[in-house]
Amino acid sequence: MKDFISWLRQKKEAKIFALAGIILCIGYYLLELANGRAQMADFRVYYDAAYALINDTQLYGKAFGVSSGFYKYSPFAALVFTPLALLPYGLASLIYFILIATAVVTASLLFVHFLIRNSGYQNQESTSKLIWVLVLTSVFMADHIERELHLGNVNLFLLLMAFVCFRLMDRKPLMSGLVFAFILLFKPHFLILLPYLIWKKKWKTLAGAAIGLVAGWLLPAIFIGWKDNLGLHSEWLMAMRDHNVVLHESPNTLYGIVNHFLINHAGSNMLVLMTLLVVGVLFFLFMQRNKTVLGPKKNLFIEFFILIALIPNLTHTDTEHFMWTWPLVTFIFFHIVHKNVRKRLLSAVLMALAFVPYCLNSPDIVGKKLQMLFDEGGLLGIANLVIIAVVLLVEISSQAQLKKLNSLQ
């Protein structure tokens, strides 16, 4: 973190981008207020759930704010929001908006900073084109950023915490595990990382996660009692079950895409199992290739965040979760801008194709009919898979480019 702060102070481009980002977020909030759209529906759910926990009223199975605003996260997650629930909603929502806006700017700069420090291209060109990488990535992610600011969800915070978990994994593995546990207590979707951590033999990280999960499970009992805590966790499991759908009917999942576009609604549990098997085998082969080409400890960033990016393609989630591809989008534009990829034109064309359903899936931009086609017709899921495919293309190409540069030195 000290290195990141020092880098921010030194880089004029980073400071300009941060200032521009803050001004845009302030302008967006003022527009939301002017148009009567500053309700932050998702934050309202967290706020009301925390209020319900404090006052010992119904937490699960009750709509908060809007008709679809059911709380489906752990009791621990509600506990996290109790400090804000002690404030009037207007003030609490403003504070939360400021936190998200700060996270938006921080995430943009943090991902780029990491890539500059770990790309293997430690020359002046790697930093001189910083502003282009930031702008291109921000434009590509704009709709997902806007949705997070508008709804007030936790997806960006969880992505940043996943980045922290990744960065601490080798230096402070127990702390990394505690961060991982915190993420899981909000969204168990991140269990997709569990087989990976086992494969990588990150035993201390897993031990930290186990300790964190037990602590997160027990902590609410201090405030609401043992019996009520058990009851709330039972209701949480039922809430997650009720939120799920048949996977091969979820349009943006791999199973739904195959079912809809290839086998014409003949899906089954076997389709889900076979798809998971294929994805698992392909990812294993990718890791084996990296181990052979780069060594056992290299390329962890790509492997780690490809798994996170795959979450909305492998589980039934809201479309908001596709913002978890953000680190990979930054990775692509970093290498395209710095010409660290042989197939630069092909990568750019594929990203342009993915841009339409991934970035324009807003009723304010394309209208409600097209937005529904993107979100409910599987096109958003396909766009996410295209981005992941471009990452693989860029990574393999940049490895070859870097090897060539090293051989010339």
Side-chain angles (χ1 to χ4, degrees):
M1 184 54 72
K2 290 181 180 179
D3 182 44
F4 175 62
I5 294 172
S6 174
W7 176 77
L8 284 180
R9 289 173 177 169
Q10 294 173 12
K11 295 302 296 179
K12 180 181 177 182
E13 300 95 332
K15 288 186 279 190
I16 292 173
F17 176 83
L19 179 61
I22 291 169
I23 291 172
L24 286 171
C25 286
I26 292 171
Y28 177 78
Y29 186 75
L30 294 175
L31 282 173
E32 290 275 274
L33 284 176
N35 293 312
R37 298 184 60 195
Q39 293 88 3
M40 297 182 75
D42 286 349
F43 174 67
R44 183 89 220 193
V45 174
Y46 297 117
Y47 177 90
D48 286 348
Y51 187 85
L53 189 69
I54 293 170
N55 293 278
D56 195 23
T57 57
Q58 184 178 351
L59 181 59
Y60 296 101
K62 175 185 177 182
F64 295 115
V66 295
S67 59
S68 59
F70 292 94
Y71 184 74
K72 49 186 179 291
Y73 311 101
S74 71
F76 171 82
L79 200 62
V80 172
F81 281 87
T82 52
L84 288 174
L86 297 173
L87 303 174
Y89 180 74
L91 177 59
S93 63
L94 175 59
I95 292 172
Y96 196 69
F97 182 92
I98 292 171
L99 290 174
I100 295 178
T102 303
V104 167
V105 175
T106 302
S108 300
L109 293 168
L110 201 60
F111 299 150
V112 170
H113 170 260
F114 172 81
L115 290 170
I116 289 174
R117 290 291 185 266
N118 296 274
S119 64
Y121 294 88
Q122 295 295 331
N123 51 36
Q124 183 60 34
E125 185 187 17
S126 295
T127 56
S128 64
K129 296 181 180 178
L130 167 66
I131 200 69
W132 278 107
V133 180
L134 289 167
V135 170
L136 287 170
T137 303
S138 298
V139 169
F140 203 92
M141 295 301 305
D143 181 59
H144 296 274
I145 293 171
E146 185 272 337
R147 196 171 298 187
E148 194 78 354
L149 289 168
H150 174 65
L151 293 173
N153 212 316
V154 296
N155 298 313
L156 179 52
F157 294 122
L158 295 183
L159 180 62
L160 281 171
M161 295 196 75
F163 185 80
V164 171
C165 173
F166 156 71
R167 294 289 284 146
L168 292 176
M169 203 174 294
D170 291 324
R171 292 175 295 171
K172 297 181 179 179
L174 281 174
M175 182 62 69
S176 173
L178 291 174
V179 174
F180 184 42
F182 186 95
I183 296 169
L184 290 175
L185 287 166
F186 270 86
K187 301 209 172 180
H189 305 83
F190 283 82
L191 278 170
I192 192 173
L193 293 170
L194 182 59
Y196 178 73
L197 294 174
I198 294 173
W199 172 256
K200 291 289 184 178
K201 299 179 181 179
K202 303 293 184 180
W203 306 123
K204 289 185 179 180
T205 297
L206 291 168
I211 294 168
L213 287 172
V214 172
W217 181 57
L218 293 175
L219 190 60
I222 298 173
F223 304 96
I224 61 177
W226 178 250
K227 184 177 179 180
D228 285 347
N229 188 44
L230 286 175
L232 285 180
H233 278 87
S234 177
E235 292 177 30
W236 174 38
L237 293 175
M238 288 189 289
M240 288 193 294
R241 181 200 63 192
D242 293 341
H243 183 65
N244 286 329
V245 300
V246 179
L247 282 174
H248 66 264
E249 293 179 358
S250 183
N252 288 305
T253 63
L254 264 167
Y255 334 108
I257 292 168
V258 171
N259 187 40
H260 179 70
F261 291 100
L262 298 180
I263 61 176
N264 196 23
H265 301 284
S268 64
N269 290 334
M270 184 57 68
L271 169 64
V272 174
L273 292 173
M274 290 300 296
T275 304
L276 282 174
L277 179 62
V278 170
V279 171
V281 169
L282 290 175
F283 190 76
F284 174 76
L285 292 174
F286 176 62
M287 288 194 299
Q288 285 295 96
R289 180 191 182 280
N290 292 334
K291 186 176 180 180
T292 302
V293 175
L294 301 173
K297 292 188 177 180
K298 296 292 185 180
N299 211 34
L300 187 63
F301 173 84
I302 295 301
E303 295 171 353
F304 191 87
F305 284 102
I306 282 178
L307 284 174
I308 292 175
L310 279 170
I311 289 174
N313 282 126
L314 296 178
T315 62
H316 175 70
T317 63
D318 300 326
T319 57
E320 302 161 45
H321 297 102
F322 282 97
M323 79 174 309
W324 289 339
T325 312
W326 191 342
L328 300 185
V329 172
T330 308
F331 172 85
I332 292 169
F333 284 122
F334 177 85
H335 283 280
I336 288 178
V337 167
H338 292 102
K339 303 179 183 178
N340 299 336
V341 52
R342 290 176 179 176
K343 301 186 185 301
R344 186 184 182 203
L345 179 59
L346 176 60
S347 300
V349 170
L350 290 173
M351 289 298 282
L353 292 174
F355 180 86
V356 178
Y358 185 84
C359 310
L360 303 182
N361 63 325
S362 168
D364 297 327
I365 300 174
V366 296
K368 194 166 185 178
K369 188 174 180 180
L370 267 180
Q371 182 255 335
M372 288 296 293
L373 174 64
F374 292 162
D375 287 358
E376 303 300 329
L379 297 183
L380 178 58
I382 292 173
N384 199 60
L385 293 172
V386 169
I387 294 169
I388 293 171
V390 174
V391 168
L392 297 175
L393 176 70
V394 169
E395 173 59 22
I396 293 170
S397 179
S398 63
Q399 286 176 11
Q401 189 84 344
L402 188 57
K403 285 182 69 176
K404 182 180 178 181
L405 286 174
N406 290 337
S407 66
L408 294 175
Q409 292 176 353

